[in-house]
Amino acid sequence: MTRPPTAAQRRVIDAADPVTGRLRGTETQLAALVKRGLAFRHPRPPHDHFLTPAGHRIRESPPDVVESAPAVAPATTTSASASGVFAARIGGEEASDTAPAARTREVHSAWQGLLELRRMTNPDGSVERPCGWERTHLVQAAALALEAAGHRPAVRDATGQESAGYNVRVTPQPEAVAVRDPDGEALRACAGTLERAGWQVSEHKEPRTGASYLLASPRRT
């Protein structure tokens, strides 16, 4: 077990940018989070502080769960966040009542924040290649790239039926997600979007049904 953050530290963690993990706080607060492995100080000016994967896991956990959560608890891959922060649509969610224009703004802001996180955390400052946060949030990262490019996620209605659209899911393979869409042309468009976003993509067929799907992994170079 790991000692939970103090109430003041938890407030700083909860106030972090939901996508980039950029922190705001006093030097003492930030230094304490760095010492505990929950944050890191970027080596380049302006030397901002960001949440580490462990810090992100705490931020995504309800406050009453943090005390008993192991330090190596797996990152969430669900599409909804209990804390109400932004979550990319991975496909299969119920229809949202958020106005389309408002959702478009949210997605655009999240994507720009992710590009900034790449710039700040990739050693060479590249925005063409996924960063560490994306490797620990594979489903969310791939879904954000798709949604930001205008692809439509599958939506589940009240009867449980899904509309056409993409679904992004975990796979048994490390650092790989599966992307499915019943529309072959839409699936190929998803592949192009992910490749442009810095992912390696290959197309495969389901052994039983012959349906096509994509395997996508974040590029390292």
Side-chain angles (χ1 to χ4, degrees), residues 5 10 13 20-21 26 29 36 51 79 81 97 100-102 106 116 133 149 154 162 172 175 182 191 211 213:
R10 180 69 199 229
I13 291 171
T20 66
T26 67
Q29 289 173 326
R36 299 188 57 176
L51 290 175
S79 62
S81 170
D97 57 3
E106 289 177 356
E116 175 65 8
W133 182 89
E162 283 191 7
E175 288 206 356
Y213 69 97

Side-chain angles (χ1 to χ4, degrees), residues 103-137:
R103 179 63 186 182
T104 297
R105 289 193 297 271
E106 289 177 356
V107 173
H108 175 75
S109 176
W111 179 247
Q112 292 304 310
L114 184 56
L115 292 180
E116 175 65 8
L117 184 60
R118 288 182 177 187
R119 186 185 72 80
M120 294 293 290
T121 61
N122 279 334
D124 58 357
S126 172
V127 298
E128 308 297 326
R129 189 177 68 257
C131 62
W133 182 89
E134 291 167 272
R135 297 180 193 285
T136 58
H137 298 74

Side-chain angles (χ1 to χ4, degrees), residues 181-199:
D181 193 309
D183 185 322
E185 185 175 347
L187 185 65
R188 288 188 290 274
C190 287
T193 290
L194 290 170
E195 287 172 347
R196 289 188 294 274
W199 293 66

Side-chain angles (χ1 to χ4, degrees), residues 79 89-95 153-157 162 166-169:
S79 62
R89 290 175 179 159
I90 67 173
E93 299 94 341
E94 294 182 358
V155 176
R156 179 164 44 86
D157 64 21
E162 283 191 7
Y166 69 76
N167 279 280
V168 184
R169 296 293 185 267

Side-chain angles (χ1 to χ4, degrees), residues 3 22 24 28 51 71 85 104 115 120 123 161 171 173 175 182 190 195 207:
R3 184 168 54 88
R22 189 189 300 245
R24 291 288 182 268
T28 300
L51 290 175
V85 299
T104 297
L115 292 180
M120 294 293 290
Q161 295 295 312
T171 73
Q173 300 186 35
E175 288 206 356
C190 287
E195 287 172 347

Side-chain angles (χ1 to χ4, degrees), residues 135-153:
R135 297 180 193 285
T136 58
H137 298 74
L138 293 170
V139 171
Q140 280 287 317
L144 177 55
L146 293 174
E147 193 176 358
H151 296 278
R152 183 177 61 182

